[in-house]
Amino acid sequence: MYFVIVGFLTLDIFLMKKILMLEDDITFSVMLKTWLSKRNFLVDCVSTVAEAKKMLDSSYDIVLSDLRLPDEDGICLLSWMKESGLEIPFVVMTSYAEVQSAVNSMKLGAFDFIAKPINPEELHNKIKEALAQKEAQRRFSQNRTGPFGDYVPGKSDASRKLHEYIRLVAPTSMSVLLSGESGSGKGVVARQIHIESGRRKDGFVAVDCASLNREHAAADLFGCVKNALPSINEAKQGCFLQANGGTLFLGGIENLPENVFSQMSQLLREGVVRPLGSAEAKAVDVRLIASTSLGSAEIPSLGELYHQINEFSICVPSLRERKGDILLYADHFLEEANEELGKEIVGFDKEAISILLDYAWPGNLRQLKNVVNRVALLAKSPFVSSTLLPAELLNSSTEDSGLALRDSNSEKRKILKALKDCNNNKSQAAALLQIDRKTLYNKMRQLGIFE
C-alpha cells in the first residue's frame, strides 16, 4: 500500500478507474456511488470485509473503506491485502472520534484517511492523489536511478513542488540548471528528468566535473584525435557524442576550467562538436542538464553559457526543507539495506525517530543513506535503537550541527577551525564538518581559504 503523495498527472489517468467501496450504511453508499459514477469512476459496493476479500483483485485501482464494518474492521482488510500482495491504494473513511485509528492505518500502509461527514470534493481530491501516486510509482519502479536508488517523490510541499517542476520540464527540450546543496540528490533529479522525457530510450551520460583532469577536460567532453595532446595517445569520443540523442548531465559544472565554457557555448549554439585536433565538425543532438552546489550569486561567470544551460532552473531542496520526508526516505533506504544485507529490520524505535527528525542533516540524502546503511549493518533486533546512531546525530542540535551553508562568515570560521583541529587534513576536516571532501574544496575556494 502506498502513502507517498505526488503532483497530479494528466487527467486521463483518472477516467474509468475501478473503485471498491466498503460501507455498511447502504444509503450513504448509494449516494457516494452515484456521485463518483457521474465523474466517470466504476464503483462496486460491498458491506463486509468477507465480501471484499471475495471480490478484490488487481483490477481495482483504489479501495475506499469504512473503519468499522459488521464482521471485521478496515484495518483487517488492509493487512489481508498486504499479505496477499495486492498493492492497491487504500483510503479509510472514518468518524472524527476514530481519527487516531485511521492514522494508525496509515502506518500500516493506507494511503490516507478522510473523516465523516465526508466532503465529496475532498474525497475526490484524495482519490486523484492516490491514482496519480500509483501511476507515478509504476513508472518510477521501472527505472533505477543514481546513488540514492529509485527516485522517490516525497509528500512534503517542497518535494511536491520539485516533482511538479520535473513533470513540467521533462517533456520539453529545455536545458536545465539544478542548484542545491551537496548530497541533496541533484543527480537523481537529472536522471528522472531524462526518464520522463522523450529521450528516455537513448543514453543518459553523467559526468562528475570535479573528477575530470583539468588539462584533459576539453578532450573528455568534446573528444579528440590520437595525440591531440602530448599526454593523450589514443582517440576519445567525448561525452557529448556518447550522449548523442540522449541527455548529458554535468554535475558540479562550476568545477570545469574556464577555457571549456566558450567551446561548450559554441557547441550548444551550433549543434556541432569539434574534437580536439580534428578539422571535422560532427552534428550532435544532446539535451544538457547541469548542476551546481553554489548559490546563484556564487556561480562563476559563465558568460553566454550560463543562459544556455539555464533555460529552466530547479532548486533541489535540502533535507532540512523537506523535513516531512525524512522518515519516508529513511524507510526507503532501510528497505534497500535490508535487501542488500539480507536482513528484515522493520523500522526505527521512537527515540531514534525523534533524533532523525530533529537532526539538521547537513549532508542531506547522501548522509541519511550512509547513516541508515550503518545502523542496518549493526542492528540485531527488528527495530533500530537510537544507541546505534552515529555520534554526530546524538551530540548535535539542529541549530549547530555540521557546517552552516548560508552565513559565509560563519562558514569560514568553522572551516578554519576544523582545518586547525585536524592539522590541515582535508578529509578529516570534511568529516568533522559533516560534508564531503569535494564540497569542502569548493567552499574553501569560494571563501578565499588557500591551502
Side-chain angles (χ1 to χ4, degrees):
M1 270 39 72
Y2 309 128
F3 51 92
V4 183
I5 303 174
V6 300
F8 292 168
L9 304 178
T10 53
L11 188 61
D12 60 340
I13 72 166
F14 304 135
L15 300 179
M16 305 307 291
K17 296 298 183 180
K18 285 184 68 177
I19 296 175
L20 180 64
M21 180 164 56
L22 283 79
E23 173 60 61
D24 60 339
D25 184 332
I26 303 303
T27 302
F28 173 73
S29 179
V30 171
M31 180 274 293
L32 198 54
K33 177 179 179 178
T34 302
W35 193 88
L36 289 169
S37 297
K38 290 180 180 179
R39 282 148 185 82
N40 296 307
F41 291 103
L42 303 175
V43 185
D44 291 328
C45 297
V46 294
S47 58
T48 66
V49 171
E51 290 176 286
K53 289 180 179 180
K54 290 179 181 179
M55 294 186 64
L56 262 176
D57 56 35
S58 58
S59 67
Y60 285 97
D61 297 289
I62 191 167
V63 175
L64 306 179
S65 176
D66 194 2
L67 192 60
R68 292 191 179 278
L69 294 158
D71 51 350
E72 297 181 271
D73 60 28
I75 294 178
C76 292
L77 178 63
L78 180 60
S79 299
W80 176 84
M81 289 171 59
K82 190 172 183 180
E83 292 171 0
S84 303
L86 289 171
E87 296 290 325
I88 304 172
F90 192 100
V91 176
V92 174
M93 302 182 293
T94 186
S95 67
Y96 281 109
E98 296 172 324
V99 165
Q100 185 56 53
S101 296
V103 172
N104 291 337
S105 72
M106 292 182 66
K107 294 179 180 179
L108 293 174
F111 173 80
D112 207 342
F113 73 91
I114 184 168
K116 295 180 178 180
I118 288 175
N119 179 324
E121 287 295 343
E122 182 184 355
L123 177 61
H124 191 209
N125 286 336
K126 289 184 184 293
I127 291 172
K128 290 193 295 184
E129 287 178 349
L131 293 173
Q133 179 273 143
K134 181 182 179 182
E135 172 64 14
Q137 184 78 12
R138 181 190 65 79
R139 291 184 296 117
F140 298 151
S141 64
Q142 296 174 350
N143 302 287
R144 299 298 293 182
T145 62
F148 308 131
D150 290 338
Y151 173 80
V152 179
K155 62 181 180 180
S156 66
D157 289 342
S159 289
R160 294 170 77 172
K161 183 177 180 180
L162 169 65
H163 181 69
E164 181 67 10
Y165 284 157
I166 293 172
R167 186 186 69 81
L168 288 171
V169 77
T172 74
S173 60
M174 290 182 178
S175 296
V176 181
L177 179 62
L178 304 173
S179 61
E181 296 177 10
S182 179
S184 57
K186 297 184 290 294
V188 173
V189 171
R191 188 180 290 269
Q192 194 60 35
I193 291 173
H194 170 74
I195 288 170
E196 296 196 31
S197 75
R199 297 173 180 263
R200 58 185 171 273
K201 293 182 180 179
D202 295 297
F204 177 85
V205 177
V207 179
D208 179 4
C209 296
S211 68
L212 295 179
N213 183 313
R214 295 179 70 83
E215 294 181 4
H216 300 165
D220 290 331
L221 292 172
F222 311 121
C224 68
V225 299
K226 186 176 180 179
N227 297 321
L229 295 174
S231 55
I232 298 179
N233 56 12
E234 61 181 6
K236 286 188 175 184
Q237 184 181 30
C239 297
F240 274 92
L241 283 174
Q242 289 175 16
N244 194 19
T247 303
L248 176 63
F249 171 56
L250 298 178
I253 193 170
E254 71 273 10
N255 294 294
L256 289 175
E258 291 187 13
N259 67 299
V260 169
F261 295 153
S262 59
Q263 294 173 266
M264 193 181 303
S265 178
Q266 183 178 3
L267 184 158
L268 295 174
R269 186 171 58 252
E270 298 176 356
V272 296
V273 61
R274 294 177 175 82
L276 272 64
S278 173
E280 180 185 2
K282 300 180 179 180
V284 65
D285 173 26
V286 170
R287 189 208 191 142
L288 185 63
I289 302 177
S291 77
T292 178
S293 295
L294 303 179
S296 57
E298 302 168 322
I299 298 176
S301 176
L302 305 181
E304 181 185 359
L305 179 61
Y306 175 77
H307 300 289
Q308 290 171 308
I309 65 176
N310 193 28
E311 290 181 317
F312 191 84
S313 61
I314 298 177
C315 181
V316 180
S318 67
L319 197 51
R320 295 186 304 279
E321 295 173 283
R322 32 182 165 168
K323 188 174 181 179
D325 296 328
I326 290 176
L327 293 184
L328 171 66
Y329 290 124
D331 286 340
H332 174 71
F333 294 145
L334 186 58
E335 287 182 12
E336 290 188 331
N338 277 336
E339 183 177 349
E340 181 178 345
L341 300 172
K343 291 196 170 185
E344 296 182 354
I345 303 169
V346 176
F348 303 84
D349 69 18
K350 185 176 181 181
E351 186 175 356
I353 288 174
S354 177
I355 293 171
L356 292 177
L357 291 175
D358 288 342
Y359 186 60
W361 297 107
N364 293 295
L365 287 171
R366 183 181 293 116
Q367 183 186 14
L368 177 60
K369 181 177 175 64
N370 291 340
V371 167
V372 172
N373 286 343
R374 178 183 185 275
V375 298
L377 180 63
L378 296 173
K380 296 180 180 179
S381 62
F383 288 90
V384 174
S385 166
S386 61
T387 59
L388 297 179
L389 295 174
E392 63 263 26
L393 271 70
L394 299 174
N395 300 330
S396 299
S397 66
T398 301
E399 293 76 19
D400 195 42
S401 59
L403 176 65
L405 297 174
R406 306 200 180 275
D407 184 338
S408 60
N409 291 328
S410 173
E411 287 181 352
K412 189 169 185 176
R413 287 195 302 271
K414 287 187 175 184
I415 290 174
L416 290 172
K417 183 178 185 303
L419 290 170
K420 181 179 179 180
D421 291 344
C422 297
N423 294 319
N424 212 40
N425 184 304
K426 308 298 188 302
S427 296
Q428 292 180 14
L432 183 64
L433 293 165
Q434 301 170 20
I435 58 176
D436 58 46
R437 184 184 173 93
K438 183 176 73 174
T439 299
L440 175 59
Y441 276 109
N442 286 341
K443 301 305 291 186
M444 289 175 62
R445 184 166 58 250
Q446 170 200 339
L447 296 169
I449 301 173
F450 302 102
E451 300 181 43

